[in-house]
Amino acid sequence: MALSFGRMTRPVGLGLALALGAALSVGVATQASAGTSAQQRVKVHELVTKDGGFFYTASESEKQNAITKHGWSTTRTPLYYVSRAPFPGGKPLYRLRWDKKASYIVTASVAERERLVSSGGFRYDGILGYAPGSAGAGGEVKVFRLANNNKWRLAIASHTEKILANEPGWKLDGPLLFQFAQAG
C-alpha cells in the first residue's frame, strides 16, 4: 500500500525517507515556555490501521487522509501535544513503518532508529514532532511505549496501566519521553 500524505522533517543525509509524512501545519498553537522561544504545539493522534497496527501523526490533514483514503480509524487513547520545531530540552520523535504490515513504531532513540532501519524490516518515516526530554524541559505528561507481536502503542501512565491490565499480550517497552498537557 503506497501512502502519500504530506511531508515530515527529516535529518539531511538520510536517504531513507518515505512518501508517508506529516505536514505539521494544521491546528498549530503557539506557547512560550519558561526560558525558551515560542513553541508551536500540535496534537498527537493515534489511529488503527486496517492491518491492526497503530499509526501516530501530529497533522490533522494526515489524520483525515488516513481515515478517508485508507479507512483507518482514530482511537480514544489519551495523547497530548508535541512541538513542530526543535526547542531547548526537546528531543525528536522518529516514526518508522514496519515493512510487513501497516504498523508503526515511534522512538526517541537515534540508535534504535538506525538499528531498526538497518535490520531491513523497517523504513524511516521522518520526525513526528519534538517532545520534552524531561519534566524540566516542559514535559507534563510521561508517555510510554508498549509492544504486542509487531504492534507498538504509545500511552500515558494511567492508560498504560489499563492496557496492561485489560488487553492480553501487551508488554511495556518502557518510557518514551514526555508530552505537553496543553496546546498553549
Side-chain angles (χ1 to χ4, degrees):
M1 173 189 310
L3 304 175
S4 179
F5 295 115
R7 67 174 170 73
M8 288 183 91
T9 306
R10 290 178 178 76
V12 177
L14 275 180
L16 302 171
L18 296 175
L20 180 60
L24 302 173
S25 60
V26 179
V28 174
T30 304
Q31 164 150 350
S33 62
T36 65
S37 60
Q39 299 168 6
Q40 295 179 328
R41 296 179 184 177
V42 288
K43 177 94 173 119
V44 176
H45 303 280
E46 178 185 73
L47 291 91
V48 177
T49 71
K50 286 188 173 182
D51 289 334
F54 291 86
F55 172 74
Y56 295 89
T57 182
S59 164
E60 188 65 32
S61 63
E62 185 177 49
K63 177 184 94 171
Q64 290 305 317
N65 282 337
I67 293 167
T68 58
K69 292 183 180 178
H70 302 288
W72 297 357
S73 59
T74 57
T75 70
R76 292 181 174 217
T77 298
L79 292 170
Y80 294 93
Y81 299 88
V82 294
S83 175
R84 289 186 62 213
F87 62 93
K91 306 285 182 190
L93 290 172
Y94 305 106
R95 186 173 73 187
L96 296 97
R97 183 184 194 275
W98 188 43
D99 283 338
K100 294 184 181 181
K101 290 185 177 180
S103 189
Y104 296 80
I105 187 170
V106 175
T107 183
S109 166
V110 172
E112 182 179 40
R113 180 193 72 196
E114 294 303 313
R115 181 179 52 79
L116 291 171
V117 169
S118 296
S119 76
F122 289 84
R123 292 182 291 179
Y124 176 59
D125 218 28
I127 295 175
L128 174 66
Y130 295 84
S134 67
E140 300 155 315
V141 181
K142 186 115 177 147
V143 177
F144 296 86
R145 189 175 74 195
L146 298 103
N148 181 355
N149 196 23
N150 296 314
K151 291 187 246 177
W152 301 270
R153 293 185 79 173
L154 302 181
I156 62 172
S158 61
H159 197 68
T160 297
E161 293 168 11
K162 289 177 186 174
I163 292 168
L164 293 172
N166 300 313
E167 298 181 34
W170 287 99
K171 295 182 177 26
L172 184 63
D173 267 359
L176 189 57
L177 288 174
F178 288 82
Q179 288 183 352
F180 299 106
Q182 297 180 30

